[in-house]
Amino acid sequence: MKKPFKPSALLALVVSLSLSGSLVAQAQTLEVKTIQFAKAPQVKPTFVRSAPQDAYLTQLRTRYELEKVVAGQKTDFERVKAVCNWVRKQWDHNGSNTPLKNDPISILEEAATGKKFRCVEYGMVLNGALNSLGIPARSLALKMENADTVESGAGHVVAEAYLRDLKKWVMVDGQFDVIPTLNGTPINAVELQQALAKGTPGVGVVSFSGTTASEYFPWVAPYLFYFDTRLDNRFTDDRVPGSLMLVPQGARNLTVFQRIRHLTDMTYTHSISDFYPKVK
């Protein structure tokens, strides 16, 4: 599902080191498409997730000593950065290998034997690890505008976490150990797309693994068109099928992925408030 970094003419980026130590890119837009979304609710979806004290998340948290991973971190952003870096270190990326079971503990067990996995698995493990620590999170699928006609490499998977102290969702890319920021504040996937399209000064990345804004932004930008996430984010056997896709205004609903995969049980919206609900 993923392709490695390749040189791209998509963006011209001038990268500088900010006072906070994050890489900041002053972006001059070349071909990042301007897309728009509605603000008012349209479908008012109901999202469900497992509580930290859920048996599965308790097992995940205790078995992998995740409380030690975030020990000493004072803010939600600091905790998310620590977990992202931890997940990135669990295995090396392999864009074609899939796990036997698609849940965080099973993925980590296989990774411990030396297996390597895709962006999908980084997003899944981040999702579970953050939720186990009481930070609301979800896997987020990013898809190109022409994802229905491209045969392969039309999508990327990350996670998004809700930072209660900042009252906002932020994008977390476990494969590249990257969290995008704007003037030092973490941002979500749609905010990143809007900033790149407008050439907004101060857009950058935080990464402990050496990924830079100048290589990451041209690579990820084409995937920032369609955004979808599961409505039922529980880690249980009775999880209900169904996802919500955020579609740019004026764009068609995406019903097929990479020519042959039909997207079933999908609810579509143009609304930012539908896709990024406030979390108590």
Short mmCIF file of all heavy atoms in Angstrom, two decimals, residues 25-91:
data_model
loop_
_atom_site.label_atom_id
_atom_site.label_comp_id
_atom_site.label_asym_id
_atom_site.label_seq_id
_atom_site.Cartn_x
_atom_site.Cartn_y
_atom_site.Cartn_z
N ALA A 25 8.86 23.98 7.51
CA ALA A 25 8.97 24.20 6.07
C ALA A 25 8.15 25.40 5.65
O ALA A 25 6.97 25.48 5.96
CB ALA A 25 8.49 22.96 5.31
N GLN A 26 8.78 26.34 4.98
CA GLN A 26 8.06 27.44 4.37
C GLN A 26 7.68 26.97 2.97
O GLN A 26 8.52 26.86 2.08
CB GLN A 26 8.93 28.69 4.31
CG GLN A 26 9.56 29.06 5.65
CD GLN A 26 8.52 29.32 6.72
OE1 GLN A 26 7.44 29.84 6.45
NE2 GLN A 26 8.84 28.93 7.94
N ALA A 27 6.40 26.63 2.78
CA ALA A 27 5.97 25.94 1.57
C ALA A 27 5.49 26.90 0.50
O ALA A 27 4.66 27.76 0.76
CB ALA A 27 4.85 24.96 1.91
N GLN A 28 6.05 26.77 -0.69
CA GLN A 28 5.55 27.49 -1.85
C GLN A 28 4.82 26.45 -2.70
O GLN A 28 5.42 25.52 -3.22
CB GLN A 28 6.71 28.10 -2.62
CG GLN A 28 7.45 29.19 -1.82
CD GLN A 28 8.60 29.77 -2.61
OE1 GLN A 28 8.98 29.22 -3.63
NE2 GLN A 28 9.11 30.88 -2.14
N THR A 29 3.51 26.62 -2.83
CA THR A 29 2.69 25.61 -3.46
C THR A 29 2.93 25.54 -4.96
O THR A 29 2.96 26.56 -5.64
CB THR A 29 1.21 25.90 -3.18
OG1 THR A 29 1.03 26.05 -1.79
CG2 THR A 29 0.34 24.77 -3.69
N LEU A 30 3.08 24.33 -5.48
CA LEU A 30 3.17 24.13 -6.92
C LEU A 30 1.92 23.42 -7.43
O LEU A 30 1.23 23.93 -8.29
CB LEU A 30 4.42 23.32 -7.27
CG LEU A 30 5.76 23.99 -6.95
CD1 LEU A 30 6.90 23.09 -7.36
CD2 LEU A 30 5.89 25.35 -7.63
N GLU A 31 1.64 22.24 -6.89
CA GLU A 31 0.53 21.46 -7.43
C GLU A 31 -0.35 20.82 -6.36
O GLU A 31 -1.02 19.84 -6.64
CB GLU A 31 1.08 20.38 -8.37
CG GLU A 31 1.80 20.92 -9.59
CD GLU A 31 2.34 19.81 -10.48
OE1 GLU A 31 1.88 18.66 -10.33
OE2 GLU A 31 3.21 20.09 -11.30
N VAL A 32 -0.33 21.33 -5.15
CA VAL A 32 -1.21 20.79 -4.11
C VAL A 32 -2.59 21.39 -4.31
O VAL A 32 -2.79 22.59 -4.23
CB VAL A 32 -0.69 21.12 -2.70
CG1 VAL A 32 -1.63 20.53 -1.64
CG2 VAL A 32 0.71 20.56 -2.51
N LYS A 33 -3.56 20.54 -4.60
CA LYS A 33 -4.89 21.01 -4.97
C LYS A 33 -5.62 21.64 -3.79
O LYS A 33 -5.59 21.13 -2.67
CB LYS A 33 -5.71 19.83 -5.51
CG LYS A 33 -7.05 20.22 -6.10
CD LYS A 33 -7.69 19.04 -6.82
CE LYS A 33 -8.98 19.44 -7.52
NZ LYS A 33 -9.54 18.31 -8.30
N THR A 34 -6.27 22.77 -4.05
CA THR A 34 -7.09 23.41 -3.03
C THR A 34 -8.43 22.70 -2.95
O THR A 34 -9.13 22.56 -3.96
CB THR A 34 -7.32 24.89 -3.36
OG1 THR A 34 -6.06 25.57 -3.38
CG2 THR A 34 -8.21 25.54 -2.32
N ILE A 35 -8.76 22.19 -1.78
CA ILE A 35 -10.04 21.51 -1.57
C ILE A 35 -10.75 22.16 -0.39
O ILE A 35 -10.11 22.72 0.50
CB ILE A 35 -9.87 19.99 -1.36
CG1 ILE A 35 -8.92 19.71 -0.19
CG2 ILE A 35 -9.36 19.33 -2.62
CD1 ILE A 35 -8.74 18.22 0.10
N GLN A 36 -12.07 22.07 -0.39
CA GLN A 36 -12.86 22.72 0.65
C GLN A 36 -13.85 21.74 1.26
O GLN A 36 -14.28 20.78 0.61
CB GLN A 36 -13.60 23.93 0.08
CG GLN A 36 -12.68 25.04 -0.43
CD GLN A 36 -13.45 26.22 -0.99
OE1 GLN A 36 -14.60 26.09 -1.39
NE2 GLN A 36 -12.80 27.39 -1.01
N PHE A 37 -14.22 22.02 2.50
CA PHE A 37 -15.18 21.19 3.22
C PHE A 37 -16.23 22.07 3.87
O PHE A 37 -16.00 23.26 4.11
CB PHE A 37 -14.46 20.35 4.28
CG PHE A 37 -13.40 19.45 3.72
CD1 PHE A 37 -12.06 19.83 3.72
CD2 PHE A 37 -13.72 18.22 3.19
CE1 PHE A 37 -11.08 19.02 3.20
CE2 PHE A 37 -12.75 17.38 2.66
CZ PHE A 37 -11.42 17.78 2.67
N ALA A 38 -17.36 21.48 4.18
CA ALA A 38 -18.42 22.19 4.90
C ALA A 38 -18.09 22.22 6.39
O ALA A 38 -17.35 21.37 6.89
CB ALA A 38 -19.76 21.51 4.66
N LYS A 39 -18.64 23.19 7.07
CA LYS A 39 -18.43 23.29 8.51
C LYS A 39 -19.62 22.74 9.30
O LYS A 39 -19.45 22.15 10.36
CB LYS A 39 -18.16 24.74 8.90
CG LYS A 39 -16.86 25.31 8.35
CD LYS A 39 -16.65 26.74 8.81
CE LYS A 39 -15.33 27.30 8.26
NZ LYS A 39 -15.10 28.70 8.68
N ALA A 40 -20.82 22.95 8.79
CA ALA A 40 -22.02 22.51 9.51
C ALA A 40 -22.16 20.99 9.47
O ALA A 40 -21.81 20.36 8.47
CB ALA A 40 -23.26 23.16 8.91
N PRO A 41 -22.65 20.36 10.53
CA PRO A 41 -22.87 18.91 10.53
C PRO A 41 -23.82 18.49 9.42
O PRO A 41 -24.75 19.21 9.09
CB PRO A 41 -23.48 18.65 11.91
CG PRO A 41 -23.10 19.83 12.74
CD PRO A 41 -23.05 20.99 11.80
N GLN A 42 -23.59 17.30 8.86
CA GLN A 42 -24.45 16.76 7.81
C GLN A 42 -25.05 15.42 8.20
O GLN A 42 -26.26 15.22 8.07
CB GLN A 42 -23.65 16.63 6.50
CG GLN A 42 -23.22 17.96 5.92
CD GLN A 42 -22.40 17.80 4.65
OE1 GLN A 42 -21.89 16.74 4.33
NE2 GLN A 42 -22.26 18.89 3.90
N VAL A 43 -24.24 14.49 8.67
CA VAL A 43 -24.75 13.16 8.99
C VAL A 43 -24.72 12.86 10.50
O VAL A 43 -25.31 11.90 10.96
CB VAL A 43 -23.97 12.06 8.24
CG1 VAL A 43 -24.13 12.24 6.75
CG2 VAL A 43 -22.49 12.07 8.61
N LYS A 44 -24.02 13.67 11.27
CA LYS A 44 -23.95 13.54 12.72
C LYS A 44 -23.65 12.09 13.14
O LYS A 44 -24.48 11.43 13.79
CB LYS A 44 -25.23 14.04 13.37
CG LYS A 44 -25.52 15.52 13.11
CD LYS A 44 -26.79 15.99 13.80
CE LYS A 44 -27.04 17.46 13.54
NZ LYS A 44 -28.29 17.94 14.17
N PRO A 45 -22.49 11.58 12.77
CA PRO A 45 -22.17 10.17 13.05
C PRO A 45 -21.95 9.89 14.53
O PRO A 45 -21.65 10.80 15.31
CB PRO A 45 -20.87 9.97 12.26
CG PRO A 45 -20.24 11.33 12.29
CD PRO A 45 -21.37 12.30 12.17
N THR A 46 -22.11 8.64 14.88
CA THR A 46 -21.81 8.19 16.24
C THR A 46 -20.54 7.36 16.22
O THR A 46 -20.46 6.34 15.52
CB THR A 46 -22.96 7.35 16.81
OG1 THR A 46 -24.14 8.15 16.87
CG2 THR A 46 -22.62 6.84 18.20
N PHE A 47 -19.53 7.81 16.94
CA PHE A 47 -18.26 7.09 17.04
C PHE A 47 -18.23 6.31 18.36
O PHE A 47 -18.67 6.81 19.39
CB PHE A 47 -17.07 8.05 16.99
CG PHE A 47 -16.87 8.72 15.66
CD1 PHE A 47 -17.39 9.99 15.43
CD2 PHE A 47 -16.16 8.10 14.65
CE1 PHE A 47 -17.20 10.62 14.20
CE2 PHE A 47 -15.96 8.71 13.42
CZ PHE A 47 -16.49 9.98 13.20
N VAL A 48 -17.68 5.11 18.30
CA VAL A 48 -17.56 4.26 19.49
C VAL A 48 -16.12 3.80 19.63
O VAL A 48 -15.46 3.48 18.64
CB VAL A 48 -18.49 3.02 19.38
CG1 VAL A 48 -18.38 2.16 20.64
CG2 VAL A 48 -19.93 3.45 19.15
N ARG A 49 -15.59 3.79 20.85
CA ARG A 49 -14.23 3.29 21.07
C ARG A 49 -14.17 2.57 22.42
O ARG A 49 -15.02 2.75 23.29
CB ARG A 49 -13.21 4.43 21.04
CG ARG A 49 -13.33 5.41 22.18
CD ARG A 49 -12.25 6.51 22.11
NE ARG A 49 -12.31 7.38 23.25
CZ ARG A 49 -13.13 8.41 23.37
NH1 ARG A 49 -13.97 8.71 22.39
NH2 ARG A 49 -13.12 9.16 24.46
N SER A 50 -13.16 1.74 22.58
CA SER A 50 -12.95 1.01 23.83
C SER A 50 -12.40 1.94 24.90
O SER A 50 -11.60 2.83 24.62
CB SER A 50 -11.97 -0.14 23.61
OG SER A 50 -12.48 -1.09 22.69
N ALA A 51 -12.83 1.74 26.13
CA ALA A 51 -12.30 2.51 27.26
C ALA A 51 -10.95 1.94 27.68
O ALA A 51 -10.68 0.75 27.46
CB ALA A 51 -13.28 2.46 28.42
N PRO A 52 -10.07 2.75 28.29
CA PRO A 52 -8.75 2.26 28.71
C PRO A 52 -8.81 1.05 29.62
O PRO A 52 -7.91 0.20 29.59
CB PRO A 52 -8.15 3.47 29.43
CG PRO A 52 -8.85 4.66 28.87
CD PRO A 52 -10.25 4.19 28.57
N GLN A 53 -9.87 0.96 30.44
CA GLN A 53 -9.99 -0.17 31.37
C GLN A 53 -10.56 -1.42 30.72
O GLN A 53 -10.69 -2.47 31.38
CB GLN A 53 -10.83 0.21 32.58
CG GLN A 53 -12.27 0.61 32.27
CD GLN A 53 -12.45 2.08 32.00
OE1 GLN A 53 -11.51 2.77 31.58
NE2 GLN A 53 -13.65 2.59 32.25
N ASP A 54 -10.90 -1.35 29.44
CA ASP A 54 -11.33 -2.52 28.69
C ASP A 54 -10.28 -3.62 28.80
O ASP A 54 -9.07 -3.34 28.85
CB ASP A 54 -11.55 -2.13 27.22
CG ASP A 54 -11.80 -3.30 26.32
OD1 ASP A 54 -12.94 -3.76 26.27
OD2 ASP A 54 -10.84 -3.76 25.67
N ALA A 55 -10.70 -4.87 28.85
CA ALA A 55 -9.78 -5.98 29.08
C ALA A 55 -8.67 -6.04 28.03
O ALA A 55 -7.50 -6.27 28.37
CB ALA A 55 -10.56 -7.30 29.09
N TYR A 56 -9.04 -5.84 26.76
CA TYR A 56 -8.02 -5.91 25.70
C TYR A 56 -6.99 -4.79 25.85
O TYR A 56 -5.78 -5.03 25.78
CB TYR A 56 -8.67 -5.84 24.33
CG TYR A 56 -7.66 -5.96 23.20
CD1 TYR A 56 -7.34 -7.20 22.65
CD2 TYR A 56 -7.00 -4.83 22.69
CE1 TYR A 56 -6.39 -7.32 21.64
CE2 TYR A 56 -6.05 -4.94 21.69
CZ TYR A 56 -5.76 -6.18 21.17
OH TYR A 56 -4.80 -6.29 20.18
N LEU A 57 -7.46 -3.56 26.06
CA LEU A 57 -6.53 -2.44 26.17
C LEU A 57 -5.70 -2.53 27.45
O LEU A 57 -4.53 -2.12 27.47
CB LEU A 57 -7.30 -1.11 26.12
CG LEU A 57 -7.94 -0.77 24.78
CD1 LEU A 57 -8.59 0.61 24.83
CD2 LEU A 57 -6.91 -0.81 23.64
N THR A 58 -6.29 -3.08 28.50
CA THR A 58 -5.51 -3.28 29.73
C THR A 58 -4.38 -4.27 29.48
O THR A 58 -3.24 -4.07 29.94
CB THR A 58 -6.43 -3.80 30.85
OG1 THR A 58 -7.43 -2.81 31.14
CG2 THR A 58 -5.63 -4.10 32.12
N GLN A 59 -4.68 -5.34 28.76
CA GLN A 59 -3.64 -6.32 28.43
C GLN A 59 -2.55 -5.69 27.57
O GLN A 59 -1.35 -5.91 27.80
CB GLN A 59 -4.26 -7.51 27.69
CG GLN A 59 -3.25 -8.59 27.32
CD GLN A 59 -3.88 -9.72 26.52
OE1 GLN A 59 -5.02 -9.63 26.10
NE2 GLN A 59 -3.13 -10.78 26.30
N LEU A 60 -2.94 -4.90 26.59
CA LEU A 60 -1.96 -4.23 25.72
C LEU A 60 -1.07 -3.28 26.53
O LEU A 60 0.16 -3.28 26.38
CB LEU A 60 -2.71 -3.44 24.63
CG LEU A 60 -1.87 -2.56 23.70
CD1 LEU A 60 -0.88 -3.38 22.90
CD2 LEU A 60 -2.78 -1.75 22.78
N ARG A 61 -1.68 -2.50 27.38
CA ARG A 61 -0.94 -1.51 28.17
C ARG A 61 0.03 -2.16 29.15
O ARG A 61 1.19 -1.73 29.28
CB ARG A 61 -1.93 -0.62 28.93
CG ARG A 61 -1.29 0.48 29.77
CD ARG A 61 -2.35 1.35 30.44
NE ARG A 61 -3.23 0.59 31.33
CZ ARG A 61 -4.49 0.29 31.06
NH1 ARG A 61 -5.04 0.64 29.91
NH2 ARG A 61 -5.22 -0.41 31.92
N THR A 62 -0.42 -3.22 29.82
CA THR A 62 0.42 -3.85 30.84
C THR A 62 1.50 -4.73 30.22
O THR A 62 2.65 -4.73 30.67
CB THR A 62 -0.44 -4.66 31.81
OG1 THR A 62 -1.24 -5.62 31.07
CG2 THR A 62 -1.37 -3.75 32.59
N ARG A 63 1.15 -5.52 29.20
CA ARG A 63 2.13 -6.42 28.59
C ARG A 63 3.31 -5.65 28.01
O ARG A 63 4.47 -6.09 28.14
CB ARG A 63 1.49 -7.28 27.50
CG ARG A 63 2.49 -8.20 26.82
CD ARG A 63 1.89 -8.98 25.68
NE ARG A 63 0.88 -9.94 26.09
CZ ARG A 63 0.34 -10.85 25.28
NH1 ARG A 63 0.72 -10.91 24.01
NH2 ARG A 63 -0.58 -11.69 25.72
N TYR A 64 3.04 -4.50 27.41
CA TYR A 64 4.11 -3.74 26.75
C TYR A 64 4.56 -2.53 27.56
O TYR A 64 5.29 -1.68 27.05
CB TYR A 64 3.67 -3.35 25.34
CG TYR A 64 3.51 -4.57 24.46
CD1 TYR A 64 2.26 -5.15 24.26
CD2 TYR A 64 4.62 -5.19 23.90
CE1 TYR A 64 2.11 -6.30 23.50
CE2 TYR A 64 4.48 -6.35 23.14
CZ TYR A 64 3.23 -6.89 22.94
OH TYR A 64 3.09 -8.04 22.19
N GLU A 65 4.13 -2.48 28.82
CA GLU A 65 4.59 -1.46 29.78
C GLU A 65 4.51 -0.05 29.17
O GLU A 65 5.45 0.74 29.23
CB GLU A 65 6.01 -1.77 30.24
CG GLU A 65 6.14 -3.12 30.92
CD GLU A 65 7.54 -3.39 31.43
OE1 GLU A 65 8.51 -3.13 30.70
OE2 GLU A 65 7.67 -3.86 32.58
N LEU A 66 3.35 0.25 28.61
CA LEU A 66 3.19 1.51 27.91
C LEU A 66 3.19 2.73 28.84
O LEU A 66 3.52 3.84 28.42
CB LEU A 66 1.90 1.48 27.07
CG LEU A 66 1.91 0.46 25.94
CD1 LEU A 66 0.58 0.47 25.21
CD2 LEU A 66 3.05 0.73 24.97
N GLU A 67 2.84 2.50 30.10
CA GLU A 67 2.90 3.62 31.04
C GLU A 67 4.34 4.09 31.24
O GLU A 67 4.59 5.27 31.48
CB GLU A 67 2.26 3.23 32.37
CG GLU A 67 0.73 3.09 32.25
CD GLU A 67 0.08 2.63 33.53
OE1 GLU A 67 0.79 2.03 34.37
OE2 GLU A 67 -1.14 2.86 33.69
N LYS A 68 5.28 3.17 31.12
CA LYS A 68 6.69 3.57 31.20
C LYS A 68 7.11 4.37 29.97
O LYS A 68 7.99 5.23 30.06
CB LYS A 68 7.58 2.33 31.33
CG LYS A 68 7.45 1.60 32.66
CD LYS A 68 8.43 0.44 32.73
CE LYS A 68 8.33 -0.28 34.08
NZ LYS A 68 9.28 -1.44 34.16
N VAL A 69 6.50 4.08 28.83
CA VAL A 69 6.83 4.81 27.60
C VAL A 69 6.51 6.29 27.74
O VAL A 69 7.23 7.15 27.21
CB VAL A 69 6.05 4.21 26.40
CG1 VAL A 69 6.26 5.04 25.13
CG2 VAL A 69 6.50 2.76 26.15
N VAL A 70 5.44 6.61 28.47
CA VAL A 70 5.02 8.01 28.60
C VAL A 70 5.37 8.61 29.96
O VAL A 70 5.00 9.74 30.26
CB VAL A 70 3.51 8.15 28.35
CG1 VAL A 70 3.16 7.73 26.93
CG2 VAL A 70 2.69 7.35 29.36
N ALA A 71 6.10 7.86 30.77
CA ALA A 71 6.46 8.36 32.10
C ALA A 71 7.25 9.66 31.98
O ALA A 71 8.17 9.79 31.18
CB ALA A 71 7.29 7.32 32.84
N GLY A 72 6.87 10.64 32.77
CA GLY A 72 7.57 11.92 32.79
C GLY A 72 7.09 12.92 31.75
O GLY A 72 7.49 14.08 31.78
N GLN A 73 6.23 12.48 30.83
CA GLN A 73 5.70 13.39 29.81
C GLN A 73 4.51 14.15 30.40
O GLN A 73 3.58 13.54 30.92
CB GLN A 73 5.27 12.61 28.57
CG GLN A 73 6.34 11.70 28.01
CD GLN A 73 7.61 12.44 27.62
OE1 GLN A 73 7.57 13.59 27.19
NE2 GLN A 73 8.75 11.77 27.77
N LYS A 74 4.53 15.46 30.32
CA LYS A 74 3.56 16.28 31.05
C LYS A 74 2.33 16.68 30.23
O LYS A 74 1.31 17.04 30.81
CB LYS A 74 4.26 17.53 31.58
CG LYS A 74 5.36 17.23 32.59
CD LYS A 74 5.99 18.50 33.13
CE LYS A 74 7.07 18.18 34.15
NZ LYS A 74 7.71 19.42 34.68
N THR A 75 2.41 16.64 28.92
CA THR A 75 1.28 17.04 28.10
C THR A 75 0.84 15.89 27.20
O THR A 75 1.59 14.94 26.96
CB THR A 75 1.64 18.24 27.20
OG1 THR A 75 2.61 17.83 26.22
CG2 THR A 75 2.21 19.40 28.03
N ASP A 76 -0.38 15.99 26.69
CA ASP A 76 -0.85 14.97 25.76
C ASP A 76 0.04 14.90 24.53
O ASP A 76 0.33 13.81 24.02
CB ASP A 76 -2.29 15.28 25.34
CG ASP A 76 -3.31 15.01 26.43
OD1 ASP A 76 -2.96 14.27 27.38
OD2 ASP A 76 -4.43 15.52 26.33
N PHE A 77 0.47 16.04 24.03
CA PHE A 77 1.34 16.06 22.85
C PHE A 77 2.64 15.33 23.12
O PHE A 77 3.11 14.52 22.31
CB PHE A 77 1.61 17.51 22.44
CG PHE A 77 2.38 17.67 21.16
CD1 PHE A 77 2.37 16.70 20.17
CD2 PHE A 77 3.12 18.82 20.92
CE1 PHE A 77 3.07 16.86 18.98
CE2 PHE A 77 3.83 18.99 19.74
CZ PHE A 77 3.81 18.01 18.77
N GLU A 78 3.23 15.55 24.29
CA GLU A 78 4.47 14.86 24.64
C GLU A 78 4.25 13.36 24.75
O GLU A 78 5.08 12.56 24.32
CB GLU A 78 5.03 15.41 25.95
CG GLU A 78 5.50 16.86 25.89
CD GLU A 78 6.68 17.05 24.95
OE1 GLU A 78 7.51 16.13 24.86
OE2 GLU A 78 6.77 18.11 24.32
N ARG A 79 3.12 12.96 25.30
CA ARG A 79 2.81 11.53 25.42
C ARG A 79 2.62 10.90 24.04
O ARG A 79 3.09 9.79 23.78
CB ARG A 79 1.58 11.34 26.31
CG ARG A 79 1.86 11.54 27.79
CD ARG A 79 0.67 11.19 28.63
NE ARG A 79 -0.28 12.29 28.69
CZ ARG A 79 -0.24 13.27 29.58
NH1 ARG A 79 0.74 13.31 30.48
NH2 ARG A 79 -1.15 14.23 29.58
N VAL A 80 1.91 11.60 23.16
CA VAL A 80 1.70 11.07 21.81
C VAL A 80 3.02 10.94 21.06
O VAL A 80 3.26 9.94 20.37
CB VAL A 80 0.70 11.95 21.04
CG1 VAL A 80 0.65 11.55 19.57
CG2 VAL A 80 -0.69 11.85 21.65
N LYS A 81 3.90 11.91 21.20
CA LYS A 81 5.21 11.83 20.55
C LYS A 81 5.99 10.62 21.05
O LYS A 81 6.62 9.91 20.25
CB LYS A 81 6.01 13.12 20.82
CG LYS A 81 5.53 14.32 20.03
CD LYS A 81 6.53 15.47 20.10
CE LYS A 81 6.56 16.11 21.46
NZ LYS A 81 7.45 17.31 21.48
N ALA A 82 5.95 10.36 22.35
CA ALA A 82 6.68 9.24 22.92
C ALA A 82 6.13 7.91 22.41
O ALA A 82 6.89 6.99 22.08
CB ALA A 82 6.62 9.30 24.45
N VAL A 83 4.80 7.79 22.34
CA VAL A 83 4.19 6.55 21.85
C VAL A 83 4.48 6.35 20.37
O VAL A 83 4.78 5.23 19.92
CB VAL A 83 2.68 6.55 22.12
CG1 VAL A 83 2.03 5.31 21.50
CG2 VAL A 83 2.40 6.58 23.61
N CYS A 84 4.41 7.42 19.60
CA CYS A 84 4.71 7.33 18.16
C CYS A 84 6.12 6.81 17.94
O CYS A 84 6.34 5.91 17.11
CB CYS A 84 4.53 8.69 17.51
SG CYS A 84 4.78 8.69 15.71
N ASN A 85 7.07 7.35 18.68
CA ASN A 85 8.45 6.91 18.54
C ASN A 85 8.61 5.45 18.96
O ASN A 85 9.34 4.68 18.32
CB ASN A 85 9.36 7.82 19.35
CG ASN A 85 10.83 7.48 19.21
OD1 ASN A 85 11.49 7.06 20.15
ND2 ASN A 85 11.36 7.65 18.01
N TRP A 86 7.90 5.05 20.03
CA TRP A 86 7.97 3.65 20.49
C TRP A 86 7.43 2.70 19.42
O TRP A 86 8.05 1.67 19.12
CB TRP A 86 7.18 3.50 21.79
CG TRP A 86 7.17 2.10 22.32
CD1 TRP A 86 8.13 1.49 23.08
CD2 TRP A 86 6.14 1.11 22.10
NE1 TRP A 86 7.76 0.19 23.36
CE2 TRP A 86 6.57 -0.06 22.78
CE3 TRP A 86 4.93 1.11 21.42
CZ2 TRP A 86 5.79 -1.22 22.77
CZ3 TRP A 86 4.16 -0.05 21.41
CH2 TRP A 86 4.59 -1.20 22.08
N VAL A 87 6.28 3.05 18.83
CA VAL A 87 5.68 2.19 17.81
C VAL A 87 6.61 2.07 16.61
O VAL A 87 6.80 0.98 16.06
CB VAL A 87 4.30 2.74 17.39
CG1 VAL A 87 3.78 1.98 16.16
CG2 VAL A 87 3.31 2.61 18.54
N ARG A 88 7.20 3.17 16.20
CA ARG A 88 8.09 3.14 15.03
C ARG A 88 9.26 2.18 15.23
O ARG A 88 9.75 1.58 14.27
CB ARG A 88 8.63 4.55 14.74
CG ARG A 88 9.61 4.61 13.57
CD ARG A 88 8.94 4.15 12.28
NE ARG A 88 9.87 4.03 11.17
CZ ARG A 88 10.58 2.95 10.88
NH1 ARG A 88 10.48 1.86 11.66
NH2 ARG A 88 11.38 2.92 9.84
N LYS A 89 9.69 1.97 16.45
CA LYS A 89 10.85 1.13 16.74
C LYS A 89 10.51 -0.37 16.82
O LYS A 89 11.42 -1.19 16.94
CB LYS A 89 11.49 1.56 18.06
CG LYS A 89 12.14 2.93 18.00
CD LYS A 89 12.70 3.32 19.36
CE LYS A 89 13.39 4.67 19.32
NZ LYS A 89 13.88 5.06 20.68
N GLN A 90 9.23 -0.72 16.75
CA GLN A 90 8.85 -2.12 16.96
C GLN A 90 9.13 -3.01 15.75
O GLN A 90 9.29 -4.22 15.90
CB GLN A 90 7.38 -2.22 17.35
CG GLN A 90 7.03 -1.49 18.64
CD GLN A 90 7.97 -1.82 19.78
OE1 GLN A 90 8.09 -2.99 20.18
NE2 GLN A 90 8.65 -0.82 20.31
N TRP A 91 9.17 -2.45 14.54
CA TRP A 91 9.52 -3.23 13.34
C TRP A 91 9.88 -2.28 12.22
O TRP A 91 9.58 -1.09 12.27
CB TRP A 91 8.36 -4.15 12.92
CG TRP A 91 7.14 -3.43 12.39
CD1 TRP A 91 6.92 -3.00 11.10
CD2 TRP A 91 5.96 -3.04 13.13
NE1 TRP A 91 5.70 -2.38 10.99
CE2 TRP A 91 5.09 -2.40 12.22
CE3 TRP A 91 5.57 -3.18 14.46
CZ2 TRP A 91 3.84 -1.90 12.60
CZ3 TRP A 91 4.33 -2.69 14.85
CH2 TRP A 91 3.49 -2.06 13.94
#
